[in-house]
Structure formats: structure tokens, C-alpha cells
Amino acid sequence: MAEIHSHRRNTASFPIPLPHVEDVFRLLIEHMPGVFYTADLNACGRLRSIGPQIIDVLGFPPSRCIDDRQFFQARIHPHDRERVAAAKDSVGKAYSSGEIEYRMLDHNDHVKWIRDKFVIQAHGDGETAVVIGVLQDMSEIRNAEAEAADLRRIIEDLPTEIYMFDPTTLQFITVNRAARENLGYSMDELAHKTPLDVEPDYTRTTFDHLIAPLRAGATEAVRFDTSHLRRDGSRYPVRVKLQYSSIATRVVFIAQIMDITETQDAEEKLRQINAELEERVLQRTKHLATANHELKGFAYAVSHDLRAPLRAIRGFAHILNSTSRETLDDKGRQYLDYVILGAVRMERLIDDLLTYSKLTYGNHGGDMVSLAEIFRNIRREFDKVIKERHATVSFPEDIPDLPGELSLFEQIIANLLDNALTYCDEGVKPQVTFSWRAETGFCVLSVTDNGTGIDSGMYDDVFNIFQRLVSDTDYQGTGIGLAIVRKAVNLLGGTVWVESQPGVGSTFFVRLPMAANAASIER
């Protein structure tokens, strides 16, 4: 204002005619980057004038700000009002200036950070003082500073080690708490160090070669494992992710470091466990090979050593029966029948036991097998029994071929049919129905009969070897047939189960893969 007065005294040097000076001054105020204002210092801050930019800052038009005598004071944040008043009062004498930052509330009561640069001008009466100032909206800067402070606080509190260093000198710019505590250095100490001081495995040449792709923009990040050297001389393994980033006005390297001590310890323990497991598997494989060898010997012994005396018993019993039966009394003939029937049952038991043992070490391939052909063969094989029992047996004709070994399928179907024909009440004509359905990737074969049925508590037991649910005097089974079924099904990669109702009948289900699966077929 003093300069304006001096121009009025010397109009010859002022290039703009005096009537237009106020217009020029008004244009300057309206287009300046801040908000020009005048206010009474001693009248609770009542505004005398304010620039139109105030609507961009607080959302109020200038007229509203001037008409409301308490506007300026009311829009200052309640926590800052006393501080603002004290700052302007403390300036004191005329033409002294000051600067203060405080918060104001906009038309939505949102906080705006304001920088207020002002000068105090006293009028001629010596009592009236006017504040002339410029308000500058600092909200974006202060919000950005707050966000940056929050980000620094988050980085500082992260459990992951974070390092930021200069791309030219490699000196650390900042290192978060997790890294400082693990290394044992303060930030002041680390400010004079570089990654080469904590990563002794690298020289400046090898490290420059490592970060060259980042500098060239060929990759977004470089990952590698190394070790860090602590202040006390100890080392710990780390996994590093290194990036080249722009922060504010500078470009820096940012390294995210993970202490992998626990990971490596866990991996070492896992390697030891795997080694122990492999050794156990090797030992068990050897034991299994020995057991299989012994099983083969047992099968040979059963086949040859046990059959020989059994044939002798059966042969002499038949001779005695054909030559001397009439000379025996009723009790003697009964005992002779027991011997003959026992020999027959023993021979059948040996046959079933041999079949069961051979399933353990057979060669089970993945060729496609025609179940329809097996059904036809089984029907011919059981034709005599079916006729003797006046049984009705039906097989499906559209069942698909399945992968596996022919003999396994034959054992499954033959033993399921034999079980259905054997365990049927006296005087009841057996009715046996084979059927199938497709599931996702599997064929489910079912065998339904009208036999004696099985109690629900015995569903699992019927598949155990030598497990008989009824007396062998009533039903001529060996207790091995369903065990053979389960073993053969397992070897084919399938499952078997039963659903039954005593006195009504049973349905056995066999679920088998429709495509060869090397993982499920034991070889």
C-alpha cells in the first residue's frame, strides 16, 4: 500500500493512468494463487474484504464471508482459534508481519489446512488495526505429508526387513526397525554403510552386475538368497527382493528382506524326515519282499505238501466207503461221511487259500477286459449249480470293458455269484441279478440276491478272511470268497461294500475305474 501511495505522488513514472490502478489491483487480487483478505484485528477478526478464490478453498462465496461478522472466527478449527488470535496479537506494532498455519472448516465441515501470511496496518487514529493477508490452501501438501508419515510408520513397524539405499553411492537412506534389530545397528550407524557391509558375499563388481537389469529397466525386481552379517559377526540366511523405485523426487533401491533361518531349519528337518522315511520304506520293501517270498513258499507247501496227505485221506475214505460201508453200523457210516465231507471241504479251503495268496503277488496289467465275456464264461462254469438250486441268474449285456487283469475280474464275479448261491435259505430259489451304472470315471457293478441277509454291524467283517457269519454245517462256504473279492478289487484300484437286510437279501457294490490308472493299480 505504501508503494501505491508513492505512485500517486509520482504519476509521471507510473505507466497506467490512475483511474485504472484500482482495476489493475483488483485483477491481481482475483487471479493471485492465494486468497487476499483484509480484516479488523480488534473486532473478533471481522472480514472487510476477501478474494473470490475463497469459494474454491472453503466453498463459501465472498459475500457470505463478509456479511457474517463472525464468519472468519467461526470457521477456524475450535482447537486453533486461541492460537491464531494470539499469533496476530503478538505481532503488535503497525506494518509488522507474521505467518501461521492452522485448520479451517469448509462448507462440509471438512478440515482444510491454511497457511496465513499477514501484515498489521494501523489507521491514523492509533486504535483501529487492520490485518492484510493471503490465505494459501496447504491441504494437499499436509495430507500428502500425513500419508507419507503413515507410510513411514507402517514400513517402520513391518516384521519384514526393509532397506532403502542410494542407487549411486549405495549408502542406506532408511532401514526399518526389524532390520536394525536383527543387524544390531542404529540408523545413525547404518547411514554410513551400504549393502556390501551387511552382505559380505558380494563385492561392488558382483553387486553392480546383480542390479544391472534393474538399472536398465529390463526387469521389475531381482530375487536372490544370501546371508546378512550382524554387528556381532554372526550371520543369518535371507531371501531378498530388490526393486528400483521413484519416491518423491528421487530414485532409490528398495530391498525387502526375509529372514529364512526358520525356513531353512524346517527344510533341513523335512529333508531328515524324508531320508528317514525313505530308509523305512526301503526296509519295509525288503521285509515285504521277504514276506512275499515266504508266502510263495507257503503256497507251494499248501499246494504240494498238504494236498498229498489230503488225497490219501480222501482216497482211503472212498475205498472204505465202497468196500466196507455195509459192514459198518450207523454210527460208523456217519463217521465215514464226516471224513469224506471234511476232506472235500478241506480241499476247497486249500484252493481258496491258494487263490487268495496268489492275488498278493500276481502281475496286474492295464489291458481292457470284456466283462460281458466273463459273464458268459461264469454262467457256463456255474450252470450245474444254478440248475441244481433252481436259481435265476441275470447278467447285463451292455457292460463296458474295464482296464485290469482278466483273472482278477474272474475272481470278483465268480465269488460274488458263489456267495449269492451259497447263502440262501433252504427251500428258497436263489435270484441273483448283476447290473451296473456309470459314475464320473467309474463303473459301479452291483450284485443283488434274495439270500439270508447280513446284519448292519457285520458289513465290514464279511470281507475278512475266514470270517463266517453262519455255521458251516448249514452253508458250505469257506469264509474266504469275499476276502478274495475285496483283495482283487483293491488291486484294481476300486472299492467294495455291501448293503443288506436280514431275511430279505443283500446287494454287493464294486466300484472300479473305467480308465487305466497307474497310481491305483498295484503292480
Side-chain angles (χ1 to χ4, degrees):
M1 297 297 291
E3 291 180 0
I4 291 176
H5 292 161
S6 67
H7 283 311
R8 285 178 177 174
R9 289 191 296 269
N10 187 11
T11 57
S13 63
F14 200 86
I16 303 175
L18 283 177
H20 300 291
V21 170
E22 291 185 1
D23 294 335
V24 173
F25 186 62
R26 186 177 297 107
L27 287 173
L28 289 175
I29 291 175
E30 290 177 353
H31 292 87
M32 67 189 305
V35 183
F36 180 84
Y37 75 93
T38 60
D40 291 332
L41 180 64
N42 300 323
C44 298
R46 181 177 65 86
L47 287 173
R48 291 187 174 190
S49 65
I50 192 163
Q53 300 92 329
I54 191 66
I55 196 168
D56 298 325
V57 178
L58 298 181
F60 295 104
S63 59
R64 169 73 184 280
C65 303
I66 295 172
D67 294 344
D68 186 349
R69 296 176 61 86
Q70 301 296 324
F71 171 82
F72 200 82
Q73 185 72 12
R75 301 318 295 180
I76 296 176
H77 195 284
H79 294 169
D80 294 346
R81 289 171 188 168
E82 291 185 5
R83 183 168 59 87
V84 173
K88 294 185 177 181
D89 288 343
S90 66
V91 173
K93 61 182 181 179
Y95 299 111
S96 57
S97 61
E99 178 178 330
I100 185 174
E101 282 194 18
Y102 52 88
R103 293 164 292 176
M104 295 192 74
L105 302 177
D106 67 7
H107 67 293
N108 291 319
D109 287 335
H110 294 162
V111 172
K112 293 281 190 174
W113 277 98
I114 302 297
R115 176 178 290 172
D116 187 350
K117 294 184 178 181
F118 60 89
V119 63
I120 306 298
Q121 182 183 25
H123 281 190
D125 57 13
E127 296 181 359
T128 304
V130 177
V131 181
I132 302 173
V134 176
L135 305 177
Q136 183 179 359
D137 187 355
M138 302 294 292
S139 300
E140 289 188 6
I141 295 175
R142 293 295 169 261
N143 290 339
E145 289 175 347
E147 290 178 0
D150 290 341
L151 181 59
R152 285 193 296 271
R153 185 165 53 253
I154 291 172
I155 292 175
E156 177 71 4
D157 294 338
L158 282 175
T160 303
E161 298 181 22
I162 304 294
Y163 299 76
M164 188 183 302
F165 57 93
D166 186 271
T168 303
T169 65
L170 300 186
Q171 283 189 310
F172 289 123
I173 299 169
T174 184
V175 179
N176 75 341
R177 183 187 300 112
R180 298 195 304 270
E181 290 178 351
N182 209 352
L183 291 172
Y185 289 107
S186 68
M187 188 61 237
D188 290 339
E189 293 171 315
L190 288 170
H192 303 287
K193 295 185 180 295
T194 73
L196 303 180
D197 295 314
V198 298
E199 295 178 6
D201 295 337
Y202 288 91
T203 63
R204 180 60 191 255
T205 300
T206 58
F207 193 74
D208 283 342
H209 179 74
L210 177 70
I211 62 179
L214 289 174
R215 285 176 167 160
T219 183
E220 293 184 355
V222 171
R223 294 174 173 82
F224 59 97
D225 288 355
T226 182
S227 62
H228 273 189
L229 181 65
R230 294 188 179 96
R231 183 173 187 171
D232 62 8
S234 63
R235 290 194 181 196
Y236 62 97
V238 295
R239 185 156 292 155
V240 183
K241 179 184 179 182
L242 186 60
Q243 294 176 285
Y244 204 37
S245 299
S246 296
I247 296 181
T249 59
R250 67 189 304 181
V251 178
V252 297
F253 279 114
I254 298 178
Q256 300 177 46
I257 309 294
M258 181 185 297
D259 185 342
I260 57 173
T261 302
E262 293 183 359
T263 302
Q264 288 193 349
D265 291 345
E267 290 175 350
E268 179 59 29
K269 290 181 180 178
L270 184 60
R271 281 192 292 269
Q272 293 177 0
I273 291 172
N274 287 336
E276 292 177 1
L277 288 176
E278 289 177 1
E279 179 62 24
R280 290 180 183 179
V281 170
L282 181 61
Q283 293 299 323
R284 290 183 179 180
T285 301
K286 291 180 179 179
H287 294 159
L288 182 59
T290 301
N292 282 339
H293 179 74
E294 293 174 352
L295 186 58
K296 289 181 181 180
F298 170 74
Y300 178 84
V302 169
S303 178
H304 296 278
D305 297 346
L306 293 183
R307 283 186 183 276
L310 180 61
R311 283 195 297 268
I313 294 172
R314 188 174 180 182
F316 284 117
H318 278 292
I319 293 173
L320 184 60
N321 185 56
S322 61
T323 61
S324 305
R325 185 177 182 84
E326 299 302 327
T327 64
L328 299 173
D329 59 13
D330 291 341
K331 187 173 291 292
R333 286 192 293 271
Q334 184 181 15
Y335 290 157
L336 180 59
D337 290 338
Y338 286 162
V339 172
I340 294 173
L341 291 174
V344 171
R345 184 174 179 276
M346 185 64 181
E347 187 171 18
R348 185 178 177 186
L349 183 62
I350 292 172
D351 289 339
D352 288 349
L353 190 58
L354 282 172
T355 300
Y356 183 85
S357 65
K358 288 178 180 179
L359 290 178
T360 305
Y361 58 86
N363 180 25
H364 313 301
D367 296 335
M368 301 302 291
V369 175
S370 171
L371 267 65
E373 181 65 24
I374 294 177
F375 286 150
R376 287 191 289 270
N377 294 336
I378 294 296
R379 177 182 286 278
R380 286 193 294 268
E381 180 181 340
F382 281 79
D383 184 64
K384 181 180 179 181
V385 177
I386 292 172
K387 290 179 179 178
E388 289 176 350
R389 297 298 309 274
H390 303 287
T392 301
V393 179
S394 61
F395 294 102
E397 296 182 356
D398 59 343
I399 190 167
D401 295 350
L402 297 179
E405 185 178 331
L406 175 64
S407 62
L408 295 179
F409 288 108
E410 290 176 338
Q411 291 296 334
I412 293 171
I413 296 171
N415 280 284
L416 287 175
L417 178 56
D418 182 65
N419 182 79
L421 294 174
T422 300
Y423 296 99
C424 192
D425 289 336
E426 184 88 21
V428 176
K429 296 179 180 180
Q431 294 182 357
V432 185
T433 303
F434 283 76
S435 59
W436 73 281
R437 70 175 185 269
E439 290 184 356
T440 305
F442 289 87
C443 171
V444 179
L445 177 68
S446 60
V447 184
T448 302
D449 63 48
N450 61 337
T452 58
I454 303 167
D455 186 87
S456 60
M458 303 297 291
Y459 283 176
D460 291 333
D461 294 337
V462 296
F463 295 104
N464 294 332
I465 191 169
F466 297 132
Q467 182 66 56
R468 293 176 54 86
L469 306 184
V470 293
S471 171
D472 59 358
T473 59
D474 297 326
Y475 301 95
Q476 299 302 312
T478 62
I480 302 178
L482 292 179
I484 292 174
V485 170
R486 182 168 67 177
K487 175 160 284 192
V489 170
N490 290 342
L491 292 172
L492 289 170
T495 53
V496 60
W497 69 97
V498 63
E499 296 175 2
S500 182
Q501 184 176 349
V504 177
S506 305
T507 299
F508 287 83
F509 298 91
V510 176
R511 187 170 183 264
L512 296 169
M514 298 185 73
N517 185 349
S520 65
I521 297 177
E522 300 180 14
R523 294 187 178 277

